[in-house]
Amino acid sequence: MSSKDNIFHQPMDNPAPFVFDEAVAQVFPDMIKRSVPGYSNVIAGTGLIAGDYVQPGTNCYDLGCSVGASTFAMLQYIKTDDFHLLAVDNSPHMVKLCQQNISGNNHAGNVEVTCADIQDVGISNASVVVLNFTLQFIPLEKRADLLTRIFQGMNEGGVLVLSEKLAFDSLAEQQRQTALHESFKRAQGYSDLEISQKRAALENVLIPESLATHLQRLTDIGFRDAQLWFRSINFASMMTWK
Ligand code: GEK
């Protein structure tokens, strides 16, 4: 059980840009569950997809693993013992908690948790690659390069799961979706002050793109059948294959 997220509870003069520091890592499971509509469904679905597409003798990747939710879901559904799962995050606080969480799992021996920038991690012999709510933190101009490297490191038939916050081309749609997301957060117990301070902290840190932009970029890189498999308000999960 993680602690309750109170990080943006007190009034702040000018919220600093959001970082994945120790305070955030400590409350992360509570924060993401109460901030991302459909989060639990995305995590469970990620496990199912991994179970369906993992190939024996290959590598699986959880890129931007935080404290390990997607890794755990994959371990639950992967049926072979012959796989290596690399969980990567560049926050040492997240990595430390992820390592602690995984250490008790039956398949801990198959998992390597690494503190690194996912832009520097080599991808090879991959049958499952998961980018759950992480690409949105990579600079826009670097996203195609990262996805291209992932594509190059994947085996034929391998799957990529990509989950992201969405932006909308229509201003009216953007406003409706933002309002609904804020209603979701209020229903999860966040105050208007917490919502607005976190929004300010994430400005220019989390940069969402439209569903069409994501699907087109995946297709341009060479991925096939890029498609939506889950959406809740302004958060979506896609899957695509090499
Ligand atoms: C989950 N997937 O629970 N390299 C490595 N890690 C990074 C980088 C980078 N360049 N940029 C950000 N991160 C998880 C949730 S959270 C999503 C992922 C969110 C890491 C960052 O440290 C954080 O742990 C994670 O990506 C994003 O399904 O907070 O909205």
Side-chain angles (χ1 to χ4, degrees):
M1 276 295 287
S2 76
S3 315
K4 186 163 189 247
D5 168 26
N6 285 317
I7 288 178
F8 293 98
H9 194 65
Q10 298 299 331
M12 298 165 169
D13 283 344
N14 199 358
F18 190 85
V19 284
F20 293 97
D21 59 13
E22 187 168 11
V24 168
Q26 288 294 340
V27 300
F28 189 74
D30 179 71
M31 172 186 274
I32 195 154
K33 194 167 60 141
R34 293 200 291 133
S35 303
V36 175
Y39 174 74
S40 309
N41 300 74
V42 170
I43 297 303
T46 296
L48 291 172
I49 294 167
D52 277 5
Y53 291 98
V54 66
Q55 299 161 357
T58 64
N59 297 323
C60 303
Y61 293 83
D62 180 6
L63 302 177
C65 60
S66 298
V67 298
S70 302
T71 290
F72 265 105
M74 288 194 265
L75 294 180
Q76 188 179 345
Y77 291 103
I78 290 177
K79 293 293 173 248
T80 174
D81 285 329
D82 185 15
F83 70 98
H84 189 61
L85 198 164
L86 285 100
V88 184
D89 203 288
N90 67 351
S91 161
H93 311 285
M94 293 291 194
V95 166
K96 190 172 160 208
L97 289 177
C98 188
Q99 276 163 339
Q100 283 171 11
N101 290 341
I102 299 294
S103 64
N105 187 282
N106 286 345
H107 288 290
N110 296 76
V111 181
E112 186 183 338
V113 187
T114 304
C115 189
D117 191 318
I118 58 172
Q119 297 171 99
D120 301 329
V121 168
I123 309 285
S124 62
N125 187 26
S127 61
V128 180
V129 180
V130 173
L131 270 171
N132 275 347
F133 310 110
T134 307
L135 191 67
Q136 58 198 14
F137 294 104
I138 301 296
L140 281 174
E141 68 281 7
K142 305 262 177 72
R143 293 180 187 182
D145 284 355
L146 172 61
L147 291 166
T148 301
R149 278 202 312 105
I150 290 172
F151 181 78
Q152 289 167 347
M154 284 172 61
N155 297 338
E156 291 294 323
V159 71
L160 169 69
V161 178
L162 172 63
S163 308
E164 290 276 292
K165 184 176 187 180
L166 295 180
F168 300 87
D169 292 333
S170 141
L171 181 60
E173 179 72 348
Q174 181 66 58
Q175 288 170 341
R176 274 195 297 271
Q177 293 291 327
T178 302
L180 199 51
H181 183 214
E182 291 184 358
S183 296
F184 169 83
K185 291 183 80 166
R186 253 179 248 112
Q188 299 299 313
Y190 284 119
S191 67
D192 287 346
L193 179 68
E194 286 175 294
I195 293 170
S196 71
Q197 292 190 145
K198 182 154 184 211
R199 188 194 316 119
L202 282 172
E203 189 84 36
N204 302 322
V205 174
L206 188 172
I207 301 171
E209 296 174 283
S210 71
L211 180 62
T213 298
H214 282 295
L215 296 177
Q216 188 62 55
R217 181 171 47 217
L218 292 167
T219 303
D220 290 347
I221 287 169
F223 284 100
R224 66 179 164 80
D225 298 333
Q227 61 193 260
L228 186 71
W229 68 269
F230 183 84
R231 177 170 158 195
S232 181
I233 314 180
N234 50 348
F235 287 81
S237 190
M238 294 153 265
M239 57 182 175
T240 188
W241 295 265
K242 176 160 176 177

